[in-house]
Amino acid sequence: KQVDKKEGLVMVSNITKVKHLEFAIRLAAELNETLTIYGRVNDPQYFDTLKQLVEKLDVVHKIRFISNSSNVQQELYRYKYAIHTSLKETGPLVLIEYLAQNVPFLANGTGQVFNALNNELPEFFIDYFDISSWKQKLKGLKDVSDYRMENAYQNHFSTKKYINKCLTIYQHILNS
């Protein structure tokens, strides 16, 4: 799918403190970009804090929270960039979704996806929370080719890769 003019930033994340969404909101405000956050409100108090921050920064017209979307993957193509500001993750699987949809992303360097992709796509990761550094790295993402993203996805997360891993595990079980 193609759109004539892509929207600003997207982040798929439940609303909890560990996701560090206040940083994402401040980043979008500094960039003067829209930010759409898809995710369930798991911490209503934190959500209230985020809404107050949005008002304080005077970006009510630029920040959207969507908590009732059943298929976010179909929406990702609309955005220029994805961000993931979580302080700590095991996956995060959403980075694979961004990659599958060819949406360049910038994420905190944490989790298994970081471990898998950092050597191939180092410009997609950052390991500190400094607004000006994130702004600079986001600007560099415009030069990342779809080919590199597709190649990284195929190398690490394709269906064929998954099936081969499962077959290796089953073969190991059969041989033991």
Side-chain angles (χ1 to χ4, degrees):
K1 292 182 182 178
Q2 289 286 24
V3 290
D4 291 335
K5 187 169 179 353
K6 292 191 175 216
E7 296 178 40
L9 305 173
V10 64
M11 184 167 174
V12 178
S13 171
N14 289 325
I15 312 296
T16 60
K17 281 185 184 176
V18 74
K19 302 301 184 177
H20 206 205
L21 296 171
E22 65 276 14
F23 182 83
I25 291 167
R26 288 181 191 284
L27 176 63
E30 281 284 322
L31 288 166
N32 195 29
E33 285 282 4
T34 60
L35 169 63
T36 304
I37 299 171
Y38 291 90
R40 270 195 323 266
V41 178
N42 290 349
D43 183 340
Q45 282 183 309
Y46 183 58
F47 186 51
D48 288 341
T49 301
L50 295 175
K51 289 190 292 188
Q52 289 169 10
L53 176 62
V54 166
E55 288 180 28
K56 179 182 167 191
L57 296 175
D58 195 26
V59 289
V60 174
H61 60 291
K62 293 218 174 239
I63 309 296
R64 285 186 301 185
F65 293 95
I66 299 175
S67 59
N68 58 352
S69 181
S70 58
N71 192 352
V72 174
Q73 195 175 34
Q74 290 181 351
E75 303 298 319
L76 295 177
Y77 74 95
R78 300 175 188 269
Y79 300 94
K80 291 181 206 171
Y81 306 111
I83 57 174
H84 198 73
T85 58
S86 185
L87 298 170
K88 187 176 180 187
E89 288 282 356
T90 52
L93 296 177
V94 71
L95 300 183
I96 300 170
E97 299 279 347
Y98 298 149
L99 201 59
Q101 298 299 320
N102 280 340
V103 179
F105 63 83
L106 184 57
N108 181 28
T110 182
Q112 293 300 314
V113 175
F114 164 73
N115 293 338
L117 293 177
N118 189 44
N119 286 336
E120 257 177 281
L121 297 168
E123 60 269 64
F124 281 30
F125 299 97
I126 190 167
D127 59 0
Y128 45 89
F129 290 98
D130 172 68
I131 295 276
S132 61
S133 298
W134 278 65
K135 284 170 60 176
Q136 196 64 33
K137 282 205 81 156
L138 276 169
K139 286 178 186 173
L141 292 182
K142 71 180 181 318
D143 298 326
V144 176
S145 70
D146 285 354
Y147 172 79
R148 281 188 62 217
M149 287 188 285
E150 288 169 16
N151 198 40
Y153 178 78
Q154 292 302 324
N155 287 343
H156 298 282
F157 307 111
S158 68
T159 305
K160 182 179 178 183
K161 191 85 167 173
Y162 177 76
I163 290 169
N164 285 339
K165 283 182 183 176
C166 289
L167 289 173
T168 301
I169 291 168
Y170 290 135
Q171 193 64 48
H172 181 72
I173 292 169
L174 290 173
N175 291 338
S176 35

